[in-house]
Amino acid sequence: MSTPVLSVRDLVVEIPTRKGLLKPVDGVSFDIAAGEILGVVGESGAGKSMTGNAVIGLLDRPARIAAGEVRLLGDPIQNLKGEALRRQRGKRMGMIFQDPLTSLNPLLTVGEQLTETIREHLDVSKSEALNRAIAALEEVGIPAARQRIDSYPHEFSGGMRQRVVIALALCAEPELVIADEPTTALDVSVQAQIIALLKRLCRERGVAVMLVTHDMGVIAEAADRIAVMYAGRMAELGPVRDVITKPHHPYTAGLMASTPVASRGQKRLRQIPGAMPRLDALPDGCAFHPRCEKATDKCRAEPGPTLAADEGRAACWYPLTQTKEATA
Amino acid sequence: MLAYIIRRVAQSILVLLVTGFVAFSMFSFVGDPIDNMLGQERTVADIARLREQLGLDQPFFVQYWRFLEQAAQGNFGLSYRQGRPVSDILIERLPATLELAFVSGLLALCGGIGLGIFTAIRKRGVSANVIMTLSLVGVSLPTFLIGILLIYLFSVELGWLPSFGRGEVTRLGGWTTGFLTESGLKALILPAITLGLYQMTLIMRLVRTEMLEVLRMDYIRFARARGIRERAINFHHALKNTLVPVITITGLQLGSIIAFAIITETVFQWPGVGLLFINAVQFVDIPVMAAYLMMISVMFVGINLIVDLLYFAIDPRLRVDRSAAGGH
Ligand SMILES: Nc1ncnc2c1ncn2[C@@H]1O[C@H](COP(=O)(O)OP(=O)(O)OP(=O)(O)O)[C@@H](O)[C@H]1O
Ligand SMILES: [Mg+2]
């Protein structure tokens, strides 16, 4: 297999607080290949955004990468700082945020924001940058791009703005895109269009996409593989179809049973009892054991096995290998 | 947009009418000018003649109307004290105040915005913290004290700069300027610092607060994620957004520089309209006081209007929203 675009190994993010050292990301490993979409799911606070921010070097103080490795096409980037890091961002990895209303600078035209980004990374003239900006808008499906290039963000609708955001993230042709809940803030009617757009761009350009979302429907529709996170750790990692139809981790099984898309066959949705523990009150052993029906003494005493990027499916001592019906 | 401007102009006129009323009311409620103007050996005939000459024998509203009529033409009658037209006296004195206000305003604006940006970008730096602490002193020391301290240091102890007056001035048509001679420029330094320091610290603190706020916005994060240079982020993306709210306050601050000039002009015996006003108060020279009040309010209203129009120039969202709102 060729080198994956993104390769994360044993990533640990730490936040020193008065109550002690918190680890919102604790030993996470995964790969994303060119042209592949990795869907990342998990409850709120599971560490999805932290992982994405750590990869692109946008962790807010006092959070910091404490251990592990992030490689972009083989080059380690977890220690890059300042100018060296800036040159990677936009050019080799882009990010798409949740809210298109606040992601665009309200006082600059979309053309200004696009050409600025293009000229920052590519050695092109002003007029060439403008042509590329227009092409970028056309590519994300903005009608009459040439006329709209001088419009301000507020002159676009929410869905159109998110298209502009995608154009901005992709205009310097990065190899990796991290999309952190790109459709959560959007109208249901345009969500599918944005996901379809992302998927198309990913396939056409061979971009690796890390797609963070709460929406299992989006994952089922777009992702090739799925990563399930729980309390800062990777719970399950595998091909979408397999994980949805035959989850191996009890948490994933619970998650699937509680979402309408994944549990189509079922009469009623089932909620997992309890809530994810807070980072400053993690239980001993496997973080999921208080909510797990199958927990044993081993689960209560020993942390779950750490999931590697390229082998194994679930970080569980007793993975479910039967069918979903039998386990749920 | 036109409708909006017309509405703002109408509001401005209303404000001016009200201040005009206040200014005029002083004539009736503050002492009897005749007492001041004529010495101890006055006759009843003298008094009656002067009353008639000054129009003081007319009923209140007739006097008010005449006052407005005349004021609109820039005619504020004769100074009780000097017996000359008030407008002539004001025009004579205005250049001194305007030049002083201009230099202090420039100082306050450039210094305030510059230091505000600096302290926001280097919010953890030593020098930024020193500046912030010093600015607290700047805000809490009264203007006259700063003036006296500066005089003590630079005029009395070091003997570098003059402690009073305007120095040599050059006459250019109806305007007198201190900008063209060395002594004129030297004389400007201390009063300009005294007058501008308070405004500068205010503007600086305001810019800092706004800038820190803006730097936390999503679009700044997104700009970082696209690999835009720190410099462009600070001075292009963030500063532009910072300026929108800063403009209003700053505009009003600049207006108040002319008003605050009274104290500075008194401390430095600066021959401007502020000093004229203080002397007028001592002699109950109502026409001069009224004219001064009117002049200040015209300036305030004018600056306000300009500030509002600047909003349109900077913020594209207003151009759409307000004109749409005003169009109905
Ligand atoms: N400054 C901080 N101090 C302490 N804890 C923090 C801090 N910042 C984030 N956290 C914690 O880090 C954890 C991971 O947060 P993260 O934003 O990655 O979650 P997420 O999976 O993206 O959730 P969501 O679905 O809500 O976006 C959360 O539990 C959060 O409470
Ligand atoms: Mg998140």
Side-chain angles (χ1 to χ4, degrees), chain B residues 22-84:
Chain B
V22 172
F24 173 72
S25 307
M26 293 194 309
F27 286 91
S28 322
F29 297 121
V30 183
D32 187 346
I34 305 288
D35 289 345
N36 277 309
M37 293 174 84
L38 298 176
Q40 293 293 308
E41 296 105 48
R42 58 197 167 188
T43 64
V44 178
D46 281 342
I47 294 175
R49 189 167 37 78
L50 198 57
R51 265 189 193 288
E52 202 188 310
Q53 208 179 347
L54 296 174
L56 295 178
D57 53 345
Q58 303 284 329
F60 183 85
F61 279 103
V62 175
Q63 287 192 40
Y64 177 49
W65 180 246
R66 274 183 32 193
F67 170 82
L68 285 181
E69 229 173 34
Q70 298 294 320
Q73 300 164 29
N75 186 353
F76 291 92
L78 297 180
S79 157
Y80 291 166
R81 180 157 157 262
Q82 302 187 30
R84 291 200 295 143

Side-chain angles (χ1 to χ4, degrees), chain A residues 109-120 122-139 145-151 167 171:
Chain A
T109 64
V110 300
E112 284 169 326
Q113 304 188 43
L114 277 163
T115 48
E116 183 186 26
T117 311
I118 292 169
R119 296 200 63 192
E120 190 71 66
L122 310 173
D123 187 20
V124 295
S125 69
K126 267 198 173 135
S127 58
E128 170 62 14
L130 185 66
N131 285 335
R132 286 189 186 220
I134 293 167
L137 287 183
E138 274 165 357
E139 196 173 358
R146 190 169 289 277
Q147 283 84 286
R148 307 222 61 186
I149 193 89
D150 290 322
S151 304
C171 66

Side-chain angles (χ1 to χ4, degrees), chain A residues 190-204:
Chain A
V190 293
Q191 284 182 357
Q193 296 171 14
I194 295 295
I195 290 302
L197 171 65
L198 261 180
K199 193 171 170 179
R200 197 194 85 217
L201 292 171
C202 165
R203 300 286 187 256
E204 282 176 10

Side-chain angles (χ1 to χ4, degrees), chain A residues 53 58 60-61 86 89-90 93 95 97 102-108 116-117 120-121 152 154 165 168, chain B residues 124 218-219 221-222 224-230 232 236-237 240-241 244 314-317 319-320:
Chain A
N53 291 341
L58 269 180
D60 292 316
R61 279 165 180 262
R86 185 189 67 71
R89 289 186 189 147
M93 49 192 177
M95 184 138 192
F97 292 97
T102 56
S103 301
L104 297 170
N105 193 323
L107 301 189
L108 301 177
E116 183 186 26
T117 311
E120 190 71 66
H121 298 294
Y152 288 92
H154 71 264
V165 168
L168 271 165
Chain B
R124 276 179 258 270
D218 276 357
Y219 53 79
R221 230 180 132 69
F222 188 37
R224 288 220 167 90
R226 297 201 303 276
I228 306 292
R229 273 155 219 271
E230 258 330 270
H236 191 48
H237 288 254
K240 213 167 176 190
N241 282 281
V244 175
I314 288 200
D315 196 334
R317 286 165 297 185
R319 270 176 246 158
V320 179

